Amino acid sequence: MPGAWKKVSHLLEYVAARVAIAALRAAPQRTALAFGGRLGEFAWDRIGMRRGEVRRELALSFPDLGAPELESLGRRCYVNLGRVFVEMFLAPTLSTERMAALIEMDGRAVLEEALAEGRGVVNVTFHYGDWELMGAYTARLGYPLDVIARGQKNPWFHRYVTRMRTASGMRLIPVTQAPRAVPRALRQGRIVSFLADQDAHGEGEFVPFLGRPASTPKGPALYAFRYGCPVVFTLMLPLPDGRWRVHFERAPRPETVDREQFVRELTAWYTRRLEDFVRQRPEHWFWPHRRWKTRPPGD
């Protein structure tokens, strides 16, 4: 019986979500995004969702800021996340022309030159800016994009989100299938995108991030080492007028044949580059994630 109730609960959650998404899509885009911002404010002010943890991580990362500044920064982060959450569901309704009006591609030639080498591309990106919109637009432009993705706990919602994401032309690689699917995609000359800013538990590489060692996914570096493919760092940056700019940057290839050193150097490089941007506009990074949850041995 508990299993039956769980199925009913999942179905009810899914129906409620679809009704809410339909309402957002029926509203003007500006109104829907404003609602997303209010939703983020509500999560910070009223629900307090991981608010204490975010305050603590911000204080450790920006020790020169006072309590009022940290509080304002945390609230702005949640406002932005609320907007990104809503825009994820609006993206399928946007035309490619509308996306082009919202997004600039800076250094697109970097990605095209890497693709032209014919060995596939390891794309390192992060939960910064509107990463879902960035992926959808990149696929809409015709780039052969595969994204490593985790499934949703609700099977109804999982199928819906999968259809929504793949409608743009991207392919999804479940995390559990990555060891087989990633090499195949690289051999096909495709771009494989890794979100590389989450806690990687005991399997990660500990590299400095915002002044503290952080367990960081080393999959991108391992695949780059094994298959000799280029690595492109990609980030979606906010513009003053409310639009976005996608930044592409070729990662330098470590000059070593030692796998552990190669992985350590490359992982440290792309984490350091993420830090450069987070320090400039910290409110656009996904602070609610427990980034420093795993500690180095002996810490």
Side-chain angles (χ1 to χ4, degrees):
M1 190 59 109
W5 279 114
K6 190 172 185 178
K7 290 181 180 179
V8 171
S9 175
H10 280 158
L11 179 58
L12 292 175
E13 289 173 358
Y14 169 70
V15 171
R18 289 297 304 268
V19 170
I21 293 168
L24 289 171
R25 290 178 174 178
Q29 185 181 7
R30 181 174 297 180
T31 302
L33 293 178
F35 172 79
R38 292 295 179 88
L39 192 64
E41 283 185 338
F42 183 78
W44 177 267
D45 293 329
R46 302 297 180 183
I47 302 177
M49 186 183 300
R50 295 193 181 178
R51 183 174 57 196
E53 294 175 69
V54 171
R55 283 172 173 161
R56 181 176 64 251
E57 301 299 1
L58 286 171
L60 289 170
S61 300
F62 300 97
D64 295 335
L65 297 183
E69 296 169 297
L70 292 170
E71 184 73 14
S72 174
L73 178 55
R75 180 175 288 105
R76 295 200 310 274
C77 168
Y78 275 56
V79 168
N80 287 329
L81 288 176
R83 291 171 60 90
V84 167
F85 178 72
V86 166
E87 196 153 43
M88 176 177 72
F89 298 105
L90 298 182
T93 69
L94 301 178
S95 67
T96 305
E97 291 73 23
R98 175 59 180 161
M99 286 186 178
L102 293 172
I103 304 169
E104 293 181 5
M105 290 287 204
D106 178 27
R108 185 170 161 180
V110 170
L111 182 62
E112 294 175 352
E113 289 169 5
L115 270 173
E117 294 180 16
R119 292 173 291 171
V121 176
V122 168
N123 174 228
V124 184
T125 189
F126 313 91
H127 295 88
Y128 187 94
D130 196 334
W131 62 91
E132 289 279 355
L133 185 62
M134 176 177 66
Y137 183 49
T138 302
R140 288 270 195 98
L141 292 176
Y143 290 103
L145 179 65
D146 290 11
V147 177
I148 310 293
R150 296 186 181 277
Q152 306 292 321
K153 292 182 180 179
N154 185 320
W156 296 82
F157 198 63
H158 171 77
R159 288 190 288 269
Y160 173 71
V161 170
T162 298
R163 289 196 303 269
M164 184 179 69
R165 286 172 168 165
T166 55
S168 66
M170 74 171 69
R171 299 193 320 197
L172 299 183
I173 298 177
V175 173
T176 54
Q177 298 178 20
R180 292 184 179 180
V182 171
R184 183 166 58 247
L186 293 174
R187 286 194 295 267
Q188 293 170 352
R190 298 183 63 83
I191 304 165
V192 181
S193 187
F194 297 79
L195 283 161
D197 59 344
Q198 292 185 312
D199 179 82
H201 310 293
E203 295 77 33
E205 184 74 28
F206 283 96
V207 296
F209 181 56
L210 294 170
R212 287 168 285 162
S215 176
T216 305
K218 54 187 179 182
L222 282 171
Y223 285 114
F225 178 83
R226 289 173 184 169
Y227 300 102
C229 47
V231 178
V232 175
F233 170 97
T234 309
L235 206 67
M236 196 173 199
L237 308 172
L239 294 173
D241 59 4
R243 296 181 304 120
W244 298 97
R245 176 167 59 87
V246 179
H247 171 79
F248 297 100
E249 186 174 346
R250 178 76 173 253
R253 189 171 182 85
E255 296 181 359
T256 177
V257 295
D258 181 79
R259 187 182 72 168
E260 290 186 5
Q261 183 180 348
F262 183 100
V263 169
R264 184 168 54 252
E265 290 184 12
L266 183 54
T267 305
W269 180 87
Y270 65 67
T271 304
R272 185 170 59 251
R273 289 299 289 135
L274 170 63
E275 178 177 329
D276 293 339
F277 290 100
V278 171
R279 289 200 177 278
Q280 294 176 39
R281 297 292 299 274
E283 68 273 20
H284 288 281
W285 188 57
F286 193 78
W287 286 94
H289 175 69
R290 296 184 174 100
R291 183 64 184 92
W292 293 271
K293 180 179 179 180
T294 303
R295 307 309 307 145
D299 188 348

